[in-house]
Amino acid sequence: MWKWINVYITFLETNPNIALIHYNMGLILENLGENLQAEMSTKKAIKIKRNDANFYASLGKIQSNLHKTDEAIKSYKTAIKLNNKFDLAIAGLGK
C-alpha cells in the first residue's frame, strides 16, 4: 500500500486540488493505521469539496479511531446532514 501513497504524493505535487486523491490517500493511511496522517488527508479533501458525505463519514471513523469522540460525532452529523440516508454515518453515530 505504501506504493500507492507514493503515487498519490507524486500526483498531488502537480494536482493539489483534487479532493478524491486526498480522500483516497486518507483511506489508505487509515488502513495502514496512520490515523493522524489519514485525518489530515481527509480534512484536505473536505477543504476542497465541502459537500461530500463520504468524506465526512470517513473523517468521523478516523476521528473515532483517534478517540476524538466529539469531533467524530460532529463529522458523522455533517455526513448525515448532507445525506440523511447515509447508513455508514448513521452507524458511526451509534458507536
Side-chain angles (χ1 to χ4, degrees), residues 22-48:
H22 289 286
Y23 170 71
N24 286 339
M25 195 156 104
L27 292 175
I28 292 171
L29 287 164
E30 181 200 1
N31 284 325
L32 292 170
E34 300 292 337
N35 289 298
L36 286 174
Q37 292 87 347
E39 182 182 34
M40 289 189 303
S41 289
T42 306
K43 283 182 175 182
K44 285 179 185 176
I46 289 169
K47 187 174 181 180
I48 296 165

Side-chain angles (χ1 to χ4, degrees), residues 81-95:
K81 184 178 177 183
L82 292 168
N83 178 354
N84 65 359
K85 298 189 186 326
F86 195 21
D87 293 339
L88 178 63
I90 294 167
L93 271 178
K95 287 185 177 182

Side-chain angles (χ1 to χ4, degrees), residues 5 10 12 16 22 24 34 40 51 63 69 76 81 88-89:
I5 296 293
T10 301
L12 286 170
H22 289 286
N24 286 339
E34 300 292 337
M40 289 189 303
N51 63 346
Q63 290 166 328
T69 306
Y76 285 130
K81 184 178 177 183
L88 178 63

Side-chain angles (χ1 to χ4, degrees), residues 55-70:
F55 295 179
Y56 284 98
S58 181
L59 180 60
K61 184 171 183 263
I62 293 164
Q63 290 166 328
S64 181
N65 293 343
L66 291 168
H67 306 288
K68 296 181 177 183
T69 306
D70 291 341

